[in-house]
Amino acid sequence: MILAASEILSPLRDGWFLQHAWLTPVIPTVGFVLIVLFGKRMPKKGSEIGVLSLLASLVLASGAAWQWIQRVGDAGEEQFVSPVVRTWTWWQSGGVEFTIGQHVDGLTVVVLFVVAFISTLVQVYSLEYLRGDRRYTHFFAALTLFSAGMLAMVVAEDMILFLLGWEIMGLCSFMLIGHWWEDGANSRAALKAFFTVRTGDVGLLVGISVLFFAANEWTTTHLGLSGFSIRGVSAWALSGEPNSTVILVAAIALFVAAIGKSGQFPLHTWLPDAMAGPTPVSSLLHSSTMVVAGVFLVARLYPVFFTGLDILGPSSNVIMVIAAITIVIAAALAFVQSDIKRVLAYSTVSQLGYMMLGLGAGAWLPAVFHIFTHAFFKACLFLCAGSVSHSASHHSFDMKEDMGGLRKHMPVTFAAWTVSTLALCGVFPFSGFFSKDEIIDNVGGNGYTFFMVVGLGGAFLTAAYMTRATYLTFFGAARGAAAGVHEVHDAHAGAHDVHDTHAGAHEADDAHAGPHESGILITAPIAILAVLAIFSGLFNATPFGESWEYMKKWVEPRAVVVASESHSGGPGEAFVVSVPSAESGHSESPCGKETPPEGVCYAPQVSHATFKWSKALISLAVVFAGIVLSWVLSAALYGRRDPRLVGLTQRNGLARAGYRLLANKYYLDDLYERGVVGSITGPLARGAYWFNQRILDGILHGVAGISRAVAQVVYRDIDQRLVDGAVNASADVTKAAGTTVQPIQSGRVGHYGALLFATAAVAALVFVILNT
Amino acid sequence: MLTSQFLLLGAILFCIGVYGVIARKNAVLVLMSIELILNSVNINLLAFALRNGSADGHTFALYIIAVAAAEVGVGLAMVLLIYRNRRSIGLDELSELRG
Amino acid sequence: MIAAELLVAQNIGFAVISVLMVIGALRVVTTRNVVHAALWLVVVLSGAAAQYVLLAAEFVAVTQVLVYIGAVMVLFLFGTMLTRARIGTERDLNNSYARLGIPVAGVLFAAMAIALVSSFGDEQLPSAARVVGVPEISDQIFGPYLLPFWALSFVLLAAIIGAIVLARKD
């Protein structure tokens, strides 16, 4: 049924916060500049500027989220809720306008809120965690700039600003991982992270360019937007217009960027090494916000991937394959780590794999919801790990050497850790259950049974390695630093979080206190995040019925055909040309399947699996099995030192091979360093050497031979007889002159420069005088 | 806008660069001063291009940018080499050319 | 009327940017911290890019940003780090005869200033109504200036090979 194109559905509300969402990245940017300029002179060394600017952003983001919810509430059931867009042109060249602006829709407000919220908490946490650090001000400057970059990327209206935010995040990641760069391992980790992510970033540049050149003409004529606009590109991708090869290339290129940023196989190797940075950095950048940028990219340009990779098509696509590999291999690697932060890092990689799997399988909303819940519980886990190392294990992160039995000493940290672990494992009714189970359920519901099984296997592994980490940290007997052994701390000084003055000051305070609970500035953020780790799942509690599916209502863009003229109407108005037939009760829009009739789509039609307790119980049973099995094995291996298990990796050949493979991280680092880098630099250097030896030397030898022959003739006939006399005479003169001016020849480049320019100045003066 | 204001700006930058080349000891800083000089030339070229209404100045400016990039690349490679051999990049320690 | 207002805006822009550039350039040659010098150089180079825009040379401005601020500055920072210059203030960055530079630069500037003012005086630049576009520049490069372009490509090739040969470890 087609309605008249001019029929106006209910007008959408539009508030101050939605109109000014662009301020959220601007405030931290200003804060960053202020910290850099005046931070060191402030009473709190600039940290107060960082916290305040992030608080302001959080207020703005919350306001925008609130007004977005109202805006969605105004819209009709099947009405397209148009994003709030504002743009300004800043450059115009050759008929192409480059704009900067904001694009606020459901996805934007969710991620905006998450980033601002966790940034604020982590900054508060850092006040205590980095107290006394020698680069305290720099740390807050970089942290604030990171938040600005991420917020800018999230509100970006066009791919240029998106790219800018993306790169700022990469830069800040580099600076923060290498915060304690005096330690060689840290600066190596920073470089590795930077270069690995940069490898993927090439894909982003290529993808943006391909999209621009492919889409610009269509978007300009149909929507009056440039080919950089996210709305324009999305509409173009669903218009049935694009050449399938071009959009495939663009989608693959963009996905390469997402692989690099979000630590997917095979570029995941940088993320565990990035744990060399301070723990607040791991918590903010490398678990909850920056690394989801890749997932965000896929979610933001979902129509491009939907069409380009044929998501929901009959066969599996590259996103799902990569994600499935990532889930399993990263979870397996988490078992052989003894560093608590590395366990969490591999867990992050694996969870990012779930998000990608969801996106690849058409489960857009569960994936975005998993970004939301994962951010809270994973940030909480990292902050707990930081709390443990800060107050109990003398800045060590080694679970096997320096932890154990800490639950009695650190009740708040232990409680928060347990809650977040259960959320991560996906135990009902914690938040992870609602998002992860929803992803697995939808992957199966869309017909990808194999990937659903992979997801369930990943859930089993997740439950098992998190139980192991929990046991090692909080149960059993206290070991090493946790038991008050101080030599351990000194012996490990090089390898762990030692930040000179801080460690020293702390030592003086706490040397005899033993493990204890951290201060309020550390426990408060942890507690807040733990509460959210429990309850944030209720925002989309599918099991409780449709009325609980708030995220679906607020965030998921509606796949409705919109008349293209609507964009001249300005924000707040949407025209709908086709509404679904009433009898089906469920929308069946053509978006994403066929060319939409007279109009454009901004989102593809996806389906949602219906929740069944029977399916949920299977996954809960899998998780429960993982927890119990891992608990029994951990207690036997680490608690009782069961002789059948201790040393199994040495005795049993299969176990040894498996352990070796995992301990060497599947030899991927070796492959990259020796194979890829070596094969590029080797031939290049050899080629240059060959060029040097053969070509340049050959020319030189040839020239030398000719000149030698000529020289002999000249020497015999002319030089000896004729010139010598004259030369000897002039040599005497020169010698006398040389002795006079010898002091000028000091051999110092600066002197020569001074002489050269002084001569030039004198010559210039002479010219000026002669000419006037 | 006057022609001479751009040319004077170029002259100021040029002279600051000259001062840097003479006064600095650290090789990297000398290279930076040379960049200042090259940029001042570019400003002059583009000012004249606008004055004469031709694109020649633009072409030359682009060539200078390319040459400057090459110069920095080779210059820093040389600095690196000197550093490896001497553990220092102070230019006044390189005085083998003394007469 | 509009043109006059534009001219005022251009002149204000020129003044602000020039002051920033001169301050930046002075800091480059006087600061005691190599990394700070590099960052001040960024100020000067960005200012130069802005001046190019004022001079209606957009393409050169964009190239300046890409090549100088993008690539050359990264090279400088890498050079600083690889030579393990102390990231912090250093006392002996200047030569003992640094003062020699002041009279030399002063005389040079005096000569140039006299020459420039006497020959250009208060000649007005034509308003930048006609922006030189990329097509015109490419016509120049691949027309009358093809030979220098060709030579330049050799310079770049030689620089690449030279940099590798010099900097690689044997």
Side-chain angles (χ1 to χ4, degrees):
Chain A
M1 180 168 59
I2 305 286
L3 298 183
S6 59
E7 180 172 343
I8 303 173
L9 294 173
S10 50
L12 297 168
R13 220 180 311 171
D14 199 8
W16 188 89
F17 284 107
L18 282 177
Q19 285 289 325
H20 293 81
W22 54 271
L23 281 172
T24 43
V26 170
I27 293 172
T29 312
V30 174
F32 163 73
V33 174
L34 289 179
I35 294 177
V36 168
L37 291 182
F38 308 112
K40 284 196 173 152
R41 276 166 242 155
M42 302 288 284
K44 302 242 184 226
K45 304 270 179 218
S47 56
E48 67 270 62
I49 305 177
V51 175
L52 284 178
S53 63
L54 263 291
L55 261 179
S57 284
L58 177 60
V59 170
L60 286 173
S62 312
W66 175 246
Q67 290 185 342
W68 176 260
I69 290 169
Q70 289 184 323
R71 185 179 169 88
V72 174
D74 292 343
E77 190 68 12
E78 295 297 342
Q79 183 182 357
F80 179 72
V81 188
S82 59
V84 182
V85 176
R86 298 178 79 187
T87 56
W88 297 270
T89 304
W90 58 275
W91 187 266
Q92 204 171 6
S93 182
V96 183
E97 280 190 1
F98 294 90
T99 57
I100 189 167
Q102 65 164 34
H103 171 111
V104 182
D105 61 2
L107 178 63
T108 309
V109 295
V110 169
V111 185
L112 213 54
F113 175 76
V114 167
V115 173
F117 186 76
I118 296 187
S119 297
T120 313
L121 288 186
V122 167
Q123 291 227 347
V124 171
Y125 180 94
S126 310
L127 291 176
E128 166 74 22
Y129 192 85
L130 271 99
R131 176 165 295 157
D133 191 86
R134 59 146 57 172
R135 278 187 292 276
Y136 193 72
T137 309
H138 289 128
F139 181 81
F140 277 91
L143 216 54
T144 312
L145 180 63
F146 159 76
S147 302
M150 178 105 194
L151 293 168
M153 184 197 83
V154 174
V155 297
E157 191 272 336
D158 59 308
M159 293 311 289
I160 306 275
L161 183 59
F162 189 98
L163 179 73
L164 179 73
W166 180 280
E167 297 292 359
I168 288 177
M169 289 194 295
L171 176 71
C172 291
S173 167
F174 168 75
M175 291 196 291
L176 289 166
I177 296 171
H179 182 68
W180 293 311
W181 48 261
E182 286 89 348
D183 187 352
N186 293 350
S187 60
R188 268 199 303 281
L191 279 175
K192 182 177 178 183
F194 192 62
F195 287 128
T196 314
V197 175
R198 290 293 306 171
T199 310
D201 288 356
V202 174
L204 187 59
L205 274 178
V206 171
I208 291 175
S209 317
V210 169
L211 281 180
F212 175 76
F213 287 112
N216 191 34
E217 200 180 330
W218 189 90
T219 52
T220 315
T221 46
H222 286 76
L223 301 172
L225 299 167
S226 92
F228 288 119
S229 156
I230 287 171
R231 286 171 300 156
V233 170
S234 304
W236 168 78
L238 293 175
S239 67
E241 184 82 8
N243 176 315
S244 63
T245 318
V246 171
I247 197 163
L248 177 68
V249 169
I252 296 277
L254 292 173
F255 185 57
V256 168
I259 284 178
K261 202 71 156 183
S262 285
Q264 299 293 294
F265 177 84
L267 294 180
H268 64 276
T269 54
W270 68 272
L271 190 54
D273 285 15
M275 296 301 127
T279 309
V281 173
S282 314
S283 171
L284 179 61
L285 273 73
H286 303 122
S287 70
S288 51
T289 53
M290 187 193 87
V291 288
V292 302
V295 181
F296 181 80
L297 169 67
V298 179
R300 174 98 283 179
L301 287 176
Y302 201 55
V304 174
F305 294 91
F306 191 87
T307 314
L309 300 175
D310 195 21
I311 288 172
L312 289 179
S315 60
S316 54
N317 58 51
V318 61
I319 298 185
M320 293 166 72
V321 173
I322 295 278
I325 296 174
T326 310
I327 291 175
V328 175
I329 65 156
L333 281 169
F335 282 100
V336 297
Q337 307 300 324
S338 57
D339 184 320
I340 188 169
K341 275 170 75 180
R342 283 180 172 258
V343 173
L344 296 176
Y346 281 114
S347 162
T348 306
V349 171
S350 176
Q351 296 302 310
L352 291 167
Y354 273 105
M355 298 172 200
M356 284 292 185
L357 180 66
L359 290 172
W364 188 90
L365 181 73
V368 172
F369 188 47
H370 200 50
I371 293 181
F372 181 71
T373 56
H374 174 260
F376 297 127
F377 58 71
K378 189 53 72 60
C380 184
L381 285 171
F382 267 106
L383 294 185
C384 288
S387 166
V388 167
S389 98
H390 186 73
S391 304
S393 64
H394 287 285
H395 313 287
S396 161
F397 287 103
D398 197 317
M399 295 187 296
K400 284 186 181 164
E401 301 288 342
D402 288 324
M403 295 183 190
L406 291 173
R407 68 182 186 284
K408 291 188 279 300
H409 302 293
M410 313 183 79
V412 179
T413 309
F414 173 64
W417 171 280
T418 312
V419 164
S420 306
T421 301
L422 291 174
L424 171 59
C425 298
V427 174
F428 182 83
F430 298 98
S431 60
F433 168 78
F434 296 102
S435 53
K436 191 156 79 175
D437 202 57
E438 200 45 23
I439 291 179
I440 297 173
D441 199 13
N442 272 290
V443 170
N446 287 339
Y448 306 106
T449 316
F450 171 74
F451 291 98
M452 183 183 77
V453 174
V454 171
L456 283 175
F460 174 80
L461 293 174
T462 308
Y465 67 69
M466 283 313 293
T467 308
R468 170 180 173 269
T470 309
Y471 184 86
L472 278 172
T473 311
F474 291 103
F475 292 88
R479 297 173 295 276
V485 182
H486 289 287
E487 289 76 19
V488 177
H489 171 226
D490 298 334
H492 287 254
H496 300 299
D497 248 19
V498 178
H499 22 128
D500 23 54
T501 52
H502 172 54
H506 207 273
E507 200 81 26
D509 296 342
D510 306 329
H512 306 292
H516 57 92
E517 186 56 88
S518 306
I520 180 78
L521 284 178
I522 285 186
T523 47
I526 290 178
I528 294 173
L529 285 171
V531 169
L532 279 165
I534 303 176
F535 294 112
S536 63
L538 299 180
F539 280 103
N540 203 36
T542 335
F544 302 154
E546 202 147 326
S547 58
W548 285 79
E549 293 182 19
Y550 298 113
M551 277 279 170
K552 184 179 172 193
K553 187 173 166 217
W554 295 334
V555 174
E556 190 170 68
R558 293 171 189 173
V560 190
V561 184
V562 184
S564 18
E565 302 86 37
S566 68
H567 281 276
S568 52
E573 291 164 61
F575 303 77
V576 170
V577 283
S578 98
V579 293
S581 48
E583 62 267 27
S584 76
H586 194 67
S587 64
E588 272 306 323
S589 97
C591 288
K593 293 195 210 72
E594 57 203 65
T595 309
E598 49 184 308
V600 293
C601 294
Y602 290 101
Q605 179 67 45
V606 292
S607 58
H608 292 275
T610 40
F611 181 84
K612 283 206 196 74
W613 276 107
S614 56
K615 287 189 281 183
L617 283 177
I618 295 176
S619 69
L620 281 174
V622 166
V623 168
F624 189 65
I627 292 177
V628 171
L629 187 66
S630 172
W631 181 270
V632 171
L633 285 176
S634 299
L637 177 60
Y638 304 117
R640 295 195 307 278
R641 312 292 302 165
D642 191 316
R644 280 167 300 169
L645 288 172
V646 173
L648 186 70
T649 49
Q650 271 94 53
R651 282 180 275 123
N652 182 311
L654 189 64
R656 187 170 60 226
Y659 181 79
R660 270 245 215 75
L661 183 67
L662 290 176
N664 286 303
K665 306 168 207 159
Y666 309 109
Y667 298 98
L668 277 175
D669 279 343
D670 292 320
L671 175 72
Y672 295 154
E673 265 157 42
R674 306 229 181 91
V676 179
V677 178
S679 66
I680 292 171
T681 53
L684 207 62
R686 273 203 297 282
Y689 183 71
W690 180 87
F691 185 80
N692 191 12
Q693 289 291 313
R694 299 288 164 78
I695 305 215
L696 292 181
D697 280 11
I699 293 172
L700 280 180
H701 285 157
V703 172
I706 294 168
S707 49
R708 200 163 54 225
V710 174
Q712 263 166 2
V713 175
V714 172
Y715 177 74
R716 218 178 34 238
D717 295 340
I718 303 173
D719 202 75
Q720 288 288 308
R721 297 176 196 161
L722 211 147
V723 184
D724 258 20
V727 165
N728 281 342
S730 62
D732 292 338
V733 179
T734 317
K735 194 174 171 188
T739 334
T740 326
V741 285
Q742 195 197 17
I744 300 176
Q745 301 295 333
S746 63
R748 294 186 168 181
V749 182
H751 272 165
Y752 294 146
L755 280 175
L756 174 70
F757 286 114
T759 319
V762 172
L765 269 185
V766 170
F767 277 122
V768 168
I769 292 164
L770 286 182
N771 279 325
T772 44
Chain B
M1 291 189 293
L2 303 175
T3 314
S4 51
Q5 69 190 47
F6 286 98
L7 301 182
L8 276 175
L9 175 67
I12 294 172
L13 287 181
F14 183 86
C15 294
I16 294 175
V18 166
Y19 169 77
V21 169
I22 296 171
R24 290 303 208 173
K25 192 159 75 174
N26 185 307
V28 174
L29 288 173
V30 171
L31 282 176
M32 288 184 196
S33 307
I34 294 175
E35 295 305 315
L36 285 181
I37 295 179
L38 290 173
N39 265 281
S40 73
V41 173
N42 267 357
I43 292 180
N44 276 16
L45 280 174
L46 291 171
F48 281 120
L50 183 62
R51 177 175 177 266
N52 301 338
S54 77
D56 292 8
H58 296 235
T59 318
F60 288 140
L62 287 173
Y63 286 177
I64 286 181
I65 290 177
V67 170
E71 171 248 323
V72 171
V74 176
L76 284 172
M78 283 164 65
V79 169
L80 216 61
L81 196 67
I82 294 170
Y83 174 77
R84 278 212 203 102
N85 289 335
R86 298 170 167 266
R87 300 275 118 191
S88 153
I89 51 171
L91 280 181
D92 61 348
E93 289 161 37
L94 296 169
S95 50
E96 273 82 28
L97 285 174
R98 180 170 31 218
Chain C
M1 191 61 205
I2 295 166
E5 277 170 18
L6 186 69
L7 205 60
V8 171
Q10 279 177 337
N11 276 323
I12 293 172
F14 172 83
V16 173
I17 300 164
S18 315
V19 169
L20 277 178
M21 283 175 76
V22 172
I23 292 173
L26 284 173
R27 294 298 294 155
V28 170
V29 296
T30 53
T31 181
R32 286 190 173 168
N33 184 326
V34 182
V35 177
H36 285 185
L39 296 177
W40 279 113
L41 188 59
V42 172
V43 173
V44 181
L45 296 177
S46 325
Q51 300 286 19
Y52 298 165
V53 174
L54 279 183
L55 286 166
E58 288 178 2
F59 183 66
V60 183
V62 171
T63 316
Q64 166 97 354
V65 172
L66 287 179
V67 176
Y68 262 116
I69 302 170
V72 171
M73 285 320 300
V74 173
L75 264 182
F76 270 124
L77 290 174
F78 268 105
T80 312
M81 288 179 207
L82 287 172
T83 52
R84 300 203 183 78
R86 283 189 43 219
I87 315 265
T89 53
E90 267 178 275
R91 206 160 301 146
D92 55 343
L93 283 175
N94 279 3
N95 283 314
S96 48
Y97 45 85
R99 296 220 183 94
L100 193 58
I102 297 173
V104 172
V107 171
L108 208 53
F109 178 70
M112 285 195 280
I114 294 166
L116 291 177
V117 173
S118 68
S119 38
F120 293 102
D122 35 57
E123 181 193 290
Q124 291 282 339
L125 274 177
S127 70
R130 196 184 59 93
V131 175
V132 175
V134 184
E136 276 171 78
I137 298 176
S138 70
D139 282 349
Q140 293 280 341
I141 290 178
F142 297 106
Y145 298 111
L146 184 61
L147 200 64
F149 181 71
W150 198 63
L152 190 65
S153 58
F154 271 101
V155 169
L156 282 174
L157 181 67
I160 293 170
I161 295 175
I164 293 176
V165 170
L166 284 176
R168 96 195 128 112
K169 285 183 187 148
D170 278 321

